[in-house]
């Protein structure tokens, strides 16, 4: 059995549906089970460690995917990889891992998702949204502080897919984190930015 551990809390998330769509499209012959760890801080908890150790004993494939995050959050790619390597040595185990967005740069899964959004077809949406971000972030309160929060990348991408003219059946999928990644009018899963992830998934 092939298993993939991801940071998401459950299957009703964009990360899960993004990966599920990639697997269904490019690795349809592979059977994959997901394990949800509910955040990177749980990667080396006993429950997850036991599953990794069991996979090593049975010879099952166990892959781990995590966000690099950024230096201002205390990590970034280099620190994330260093932390994982340290904890693997500490616990006497090894496993293949992929650090979003591309096993090299700072960022997260949403960075990778945004890189495959169809800006070529929806450039006006992104131009307008980025104008909105600039406008709102420039508004100050009486103390000179930013008066409004601007959406994070996940919020931006959710707004992007929610803004599309889609039928009720498709719209009903959005609430479960299924952002229609199988629809090439909104996402291009053949883009070069996905190649590092696809190469990593070849090991399943």
């Amino acid at each position: 059995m092939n298993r993939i551990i991801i940071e998401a809390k459950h299957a009703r998330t964009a990360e899960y549906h993004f990966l599920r769509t990639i697997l269904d499209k490019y690795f349809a012959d592979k059977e994959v089970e997901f394990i949800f760890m509910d955040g990177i801080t749980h990667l080396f908890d006993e429950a997850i460690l036991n599953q990794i150790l069991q996979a090593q004993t049975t010879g099952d494939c166990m892959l781990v995917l995590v966000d690099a995050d950024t230096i201002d959050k205390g990590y970034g790619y280099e620190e994330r990889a260093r932390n994982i390597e340290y904890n693997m040595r500490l616990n006497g185990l090894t496993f293949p891992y992929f650090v979003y967005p591309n096993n090299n740069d700072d960022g997260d899964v949403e960075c990778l998702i945004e890189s495959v959004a169809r800006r070529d077809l929806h450039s006006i949406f992104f131009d307008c949204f980025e104008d909105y971000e600039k406008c709102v972030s420039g508004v100050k309160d009486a103390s000179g502080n930013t008066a409004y929060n601007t959406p994070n990348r996940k919020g931006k991408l959710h707004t992007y897919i929610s803004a599309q003219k889609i039928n009720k059946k498709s719209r009903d999928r959005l609430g479960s984190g299924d952002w229609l990644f199988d629809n090439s009018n909104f996402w291009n899963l053949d883009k070069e930015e996905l190649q590092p992830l696809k190469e990593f998934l070849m090991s399943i």
Side-chain angles (χ1 to χ4, degrees):
M1 170 65 74
N2 301 299
R3 294 183 174 88
I4 298 178
I5 300 175
I6 62 175
E7 287 193 51
K9 186 175 184 178
H10 44 65
R12 294 173 63 84
T13 56
E15 180 186 9
Y16 167 77
H17 285 286
F18 180 59
L19 290 170
R20 183 76 267 172
T21 305
I22 292 169
L23 290 167
D24 290 345
K25 182 173 182 177
Y26 300 102
F27 305 93
D29 59 326
K30 304 293 185 181
E31 185 177 351
V32 177
E33 175 185 312
F34 281 82
I35 296 170
F36 305 99
M37 62 175 152
D38 190 17
I40 182 64
T41 57
H42 297 294
L43 177 56
F44 292 95
D45 285 358
E46 184 177 0
I48 299 295
L49 287 177
N50 286 342
Q51 295 190 67
I52 295 172
L53 289 168
Q54 182 181 6
Q56 290 184 338
T57 300
T58 59
D60 290 341
C61 178
M62 179 74 82
L63 307 180
V64 173
L65 289 87
V66 299
D67 290 337
D69 287 323
T70 54
I71 292 173
D72 63 320
K73 290 184 177 180
Y75 279 92
Y77 170 74
E78 291 184 4
E79 182 58 29
R80 179 69 71 203
R82 188 161 39 244
N83 181 264
I84 291 173
E85 293 288 341
Y86 169 79
N87 278 287
M88 284 198 297
R89 289 194 302 272
L90 193 65
N91 289 279
L93 52 80
T94 59
F95 51 79
Y97 63 91
F98 182 90
V99 182
Y100 293 122
N102 56 18
N103 245 358
N104 186 68
D105 296 322
D106 298 352
D108 50 33
V109 66
E110 286 82 19
C111 291
L112 186 57
I113 293 173
E114 184 175 13
S115 75
V116 300
R118 293 298 304 267
R119 280 181 176 264
D120 56 325
L121 298 181
H122 304 284
S123 60
I124 292 176
F125 169 86
F126 286 102
D127 289 345
C128 290
F129 193 91
E130 285 153 16
D131 285 345
Y132 155 76
E133 288 179 305
K134 290 175 186 175
C135 181
V136 170
S137 63
V139 178
K140 307 295 182 182
D141 62 19
S143 301
N145 299 314
T146 303
Y148 300 106
N149 293 321
T150 53
N152 59 18
R153 185 174 281 105
K154 184 181 292 185
K156 175 182 180 179
L157 293 170
H158 185 266
T159 303
Y160 162 67
I161 194 62
S162 297
Q164 304 301 332
K165 294 288 189 179
I166 53 179
N167 60 34
K168 184 181 185 304
K169 183 178 179 181
S170 293
R171 189 159 299 283
D172 288 345
R173 292 168 57 184
L174 301 184
S176 65
D178 183 351
W179 292 353
L180 312 178
F181 293 112
D182 56 350
N183 192 320
S184 61
N185 290 317
F186 309 131
W187 314 98
N188 179 4
L189 300 185
D190 293 321
K191 288 196 72 175
E192 184 179 344
E193 285 84 350
L194 276 186
Q195 196 56 34
L197 176 60
K198 291 176 186 174
E199 290 175 1
F200 176 75
L201 293 173
M202 286 178 185
S203 59
I204 60 176

